[in-house]
Amino acid sequence: MKRLKKVMSILTVSTVVAAALAACGSSTSSSSVAEQSSSSAAEESSAAEESTVEGNVATGGSTSVEKVIGALSEAFMGENTAVTVTYDPTGSSAGVTGAEDGTLDIGLASRSLKEEEVAKGLKETVFALDGIAIVVNNENTVEDLSLEQIAQLATGEITNWSEVGGPDAPVVLIGREAGSGTRDGFESVVDVEDACVYEQELTSTGAVMTAVAGNPNAFGYVSLASVDENVKAITVGGVEASEETVKDGTYLLQRPFVFVTKEGEELSAQAQAFYDFALSEAAADLVRNAGAVPVV
Amino acid sequence: MKLKEIIERIMQGVFLVCGMVSIASVALITIYMLIAGMPAIIEVGPIDFLFGTVWESTSKDPKFGILPFILTSVWGMVGALIIGVPVGVFTAVFLAKLAPAKVAAMVRPAVELLAGIPSVVYGLIGMIVLVPAVMDTFSLKSGACLLSAILVLTIMVLPNIISVSETALRAVPKEYEEASLGLGATWIETVFKVSIPAAKSGIVAGIVLGAGRAVGEAMAVMMVAGNVANMPGLFKSVRFLTTAVASEMSYAADGSLQRNALFSIGLVLFFFIMLINWTLQKFLKRGDNL
């Protein structure tokens, strides 16, 4: 009996202590959150922007925009701690459908809307451009290819570089794995979907660059931002790949990253804030760092 | 006395829990692989899945045939063993029976270090050094092929074969060898006619262990094999079971048939490893009876 009492008292004491500790913990953590949000609010008021938005912004769609949207939402959520931006990589078409039926606040697509989609009352806003560079080994003498030639090289219709003005050497296409946004972009722009004859399917841009740098017969596609001096980026239809030529549309191997919204329907406050942020000049560097070309 | 008993009990419990952790993990993984891997096999059909020769997971009319991956993994393993077993076993013979102590003291740490090198490093060196070398040697248009993968796997299975075989050779009773020498056999004859047969089960265990590593390796082969879903050929770009899962997993949408099919590949791989382990157990058991 005595023992039971002792146990009971120990239990009560420990409960009280635990409760006190928990209270302490919660009070400190809540105060630190308050501090954080007030400091970020201060930052933002200087940027003349409201920080009162809160809630969820559901985005989703193209897998290719993952890096860009990830960078944008991370920065956005850093400034607006009360907002959560979610992104569901389900493919461009699913992004368009999601925007149409309202399951997504903003749909993401890595292509322009089709006419019938516009007819359904959807609106597109280009927030970034994706330039794809064609790279060859430094030893390759080919300087320029047309889109048609690129398609023929990729599908194995042309098997020797001499047919496009290069050395007498076999053509080796080095690409990305199925599902990669760069692969999807290349194949859709060049119009060779599911028809490419790959010699290697690698899982990163860096691996493609290394493989192309190490094989004089190789050519591959990489996002514009990752081209360096270890490989040679060729001109397409006489136009050099650069941020400027992608922006003014003269470089053909490009596609738009678009926000899909409903025409004439207002976004929620937090979605509008994210939308505005993505199109602001502050976001340009984020877009650039994520490997795409900003439009502002 | 009482306290001691309590501690004894508690510690027993702790050990029991520790023992259960690995059993529970294996059980969970097995159950999960079966649950996650079966739907796609059923949806595609076991025959079409296992014996289909075309894998086009993202095309408009997707095809999920994994025979190219299965055959590639088998050929990769067989190829690595064809080169790796003689080299590995002879290295073990050298270390255990022939090498002067000083030389052995240099070779052994080197072999151990080889086992410790991360597979991505093998892949990186393979990609930058081996792939171009294979391309030049055989005047291929691209060096990323089954042969490059086999060469990388060979180096990777060597430490397994060497260390297990060496231990087995060292465990051969001295009397056997002395008897052989006493009957007039030379030292080399003794090693090959007495020591190796006596250590047979241990050597086979090492080989099976190496086979397991060759089948399970993903990172290094992904960087040198080219990863195109072709039927295997020595100079063709190929994709292994492991790399098929690794290269597409990050983009496969949740709940899609593609993702489920990747889990099914995992399940097939799992069975391969189980089979190899079961073989290993058999040989180890036989070793006990010797």
Side-chain angles (χ1 to χ4, degrees):
Chain A
M1 198 56 202
K2 212 175 171 186
R3 207 163 164 192
L4 186 67
K5 241 184 181 169
K6 205 174 170 188
V7 169
M8 286 299 286
S9 68
I10 287 172
L11 271 179
T12 1
V13 168
S14 58
T15 326
V16 169
V17 169
L21 278 175
C24 264
S26 70
S27 70
T28 48
S29 67
S30 65
S31 73
S32 72
V33 166
E35 263 166 46
Q36 257 181 19
S37 59
S38 69
S39 72
S40 72
E43 265 171 40
E44 257 175 49
S45 59
S46 68
E49 224 182 289
E50 280 186 25
S51 68
T52 51
V53 290
E54 56 180 5
N56 277 317
V57 183
T59 71
S62 171
T63 49
S64 313
V65 303
E66 182 158 17
K67 261 175 100 178
V68 176
I69 218 71
L72 288 175
S73 54
E74 197 178 308
F76 182 74
M77 287 190 281
E79 284 181 22
N80 303 275
T81 43
V83 181
T84 312
V85 181
T86 59
Y87 161 69
D88 194 12
T90 46
S92 289
S93 297
V96 174
T97 319
E100 190 196 336
D101 62 23
T103 49
L104 299 175
D105 291 309
I106 303 174
L108 303 168
S110 49
R111 58 170 169 80
S112 292
L113 288 181
K114 296 172 188 156
E115 269 176 37
E116 62 263 30
E117 288 167 348
V118 177
K120 282 178 191 161
L122 294 173
K123 188 181 78 162
E124 67 172 34
T125 313
V126 177
F127 68 96
L129 295 167
D130 181 26
I132 298 164
I134 301 292
V135 292
V136 297
N137 190 274
N138 281 330
E139 285 176 31
N140 199 322
T141 52
V142 171
E143 297 291 340
D144 179 70
L145 291 170
S146 68
L147 266 190
E148 200 188 335
Q149 282 175 321
I150 293 171
Q152 287 170 330
L153 288 167
T155 54
E157 219 172 295
I158 296 178
T159 53
N160 198 297
W161 283 109
S162 60
E163 289 179 56
V164 289
D168 180 23
V171 174
V172 169
L173 171 57
I174 294 175
R176 296 286 306 276
E177 77 278 28
S180 145
T182 318
R183 170 163 165 164
D184 174 45
F186 170 81
E187 294 191 355
S188 60
V189 174
V190 182
D191 199 20
V192 289
E193 274 149 320
D194 306 327
C196 289
V197 182
Y198 285 102
E199 195 61 43
Q200 289 189 44
E201 290 176 41
L202 305 173
T203 49
S204 72
T205 302
V208 173
M209 299 280 284
T210 313
V212 172
N215 186 338
N217 308 325
F219 87 106
Y221 48 80
V222 294
S223 66
L224 189 57
S226 49
V227 176
D228 63 23
E229 70 281 1
N230 293 321
V231 295
K232 188 168 80 173
I234 56 163
T235 58
V236 176
V239 183
E240 194 187 339
S242 72
E243 207 182 302
E244 288 76 45
T245 55
V246 168
K247 225 187 237 178
D248 66 22
T250 50
Y251 184 74
L252 294 173
L253 261 176
Q254 61 161 292
R255 56 184 178 151
F257 286 166
V258 301
F259 284 148
V260 183
T261 49
K262 276 194 229 180
E263 184 77 65
E265 205 165 298
E266 249 181 66
L267 291 170
S268 65
Q270 64 271 24
Q272 187 64 47
F274 179 65
Y275 181 97
D276 292 339
F277 170 78
L279 291 166
S280 69
E281 280 195 26
D285 272 338
L286 296 169
V287 171
R288 202 172 282 127
N289 287 341
V293 176
V295 284
V296 284
Chain B
M1 190 58 201
K2 238 186 176 175
L3 187 70
K4 239 183 178 176
E5 241 170 55
I6 292 169
I7 291 176
E8 198 82 348
R9 280 274 170 88
I10 290 175
M11 286 320 287
Q12 256 179 23
V14 169
F15 294 140
L16 182 72
V17 169
C18 291
M20 284 301 150
V21 167
S22 52
I23 295 177
S25 309
V26 169
L28 271 176
I29 290 171
T30 311
I31 293 166
Y32 184 79
M33 285 310 295
L34 281 172
I35 292 173
M38 286 317 283
I41 295 183
I42 292 165
E43 195 171 337
V44 179
I47 304 287
D48 286 343
F49 185 73
L50 292 173
F51 299 107
T53 55
V54 182
W55 173 269
E56 280 173 356
S57 56
T58 55
S59 77
K60 287 188 187 74
D61 175 28
K63 293 193 179 67
F64 299 95
I66 65 163
L67 189 64
F69 308 154
I70 295 179
L71 290 181
T72 301
S73 278
V74 171
W75 284 123
M77 177 189 86
V78 170
L81 292 183
I82 286 176
I83 313 176
V85 167
V87 177
V89 172
F90 291 163
T91 309
V93 167
F94 175 73
L95 284 177
K97 302 291 173 194
L98 302 172
K102 270 189 188 165
V103 181
M106 277 169 61
V107 177
R108 202 168 295 118
V111 172
E112 276 158 18
L113 196 62
L114 206 58
I117 295 174
S119 59
V120 66
V121 174
Y122 282 104
L124 201 63
I125 294 171
M127 189 174 185
I128 291 167
V129 181
L130 181 69
V131 168
V134 166
M135 183 172 122
D136 290 342
T137 314
F138 298 96
S139 13
L140 306 171
K141 59 178 184 171
S142 163
C145 59
L146 182 57
L147 179 66
S148 302
I150 287 177
L151 292 177
V152 169
L153 285 177
T154 303
I155 307 292
M156 295 185 76
V157 302
L158 277 181
N160 294 50
I161 299 178
I162 294 172
S163 55
V164 178
S165 304
E166 193 200 340
T167 314
L169 283 168
R170 281 186 186 283
V172 173
K174 271 242 149 26
E175 295 80 6
Y176 290 15
E177 287 158 2
E178 279 161 3
S180 167
L181 289 173
L183 287 169
T186 65
W187 184 221
I188 296 287
E189 276 173 340
T190 303
V191 167
F192 278 87
K193 298 225 162 115
V194 176
S195 310
I196 290 184
K200 199 172 58 191
S201 70
I203 292 174
V204 173
I207 294 170
V208 176
L209 214 59
R213 175 144 205 217
V215 169
E217 178 53 41
M219 197 64 217
V221 293
M222 184 143 104
M223 296 168 84
V224 298
N227 302 324
V228 182
N230 291 324
M231 288 299 268
L234 201 53
F235 296 120
K236 267 165 63 181
S237 174
V238 292
R239 198 186 290 182
F240 289 71
L241 283 168
T242 47
T243 49
V245 179
S247 64
E248 285 188 23
M249 207 54 179
S250 54
Y251 287 111
D254 242 346
S256 64
L257 181 58
Q258 183 192 6
R259 195 182 188 89
N260 288 342
L262 295 180
F263 275 115
S264 304
I265 297 179
L267 185 62
V268 171
L269 190 61
F270 191 67
F271 274 114
F272 264 86
I273 300 288
M274 297 260 273
L275 195 69
I276 289 170
N277 262 16
W278 177 75
T279 322
L280 180 69
Q281 293 300 330
K282 253 190 122 173
F283 277 110
L284 286 180
K285 278 223 185 85
R286 203 186 290 171
D288 290 344
N289 298 340
L290 251 169

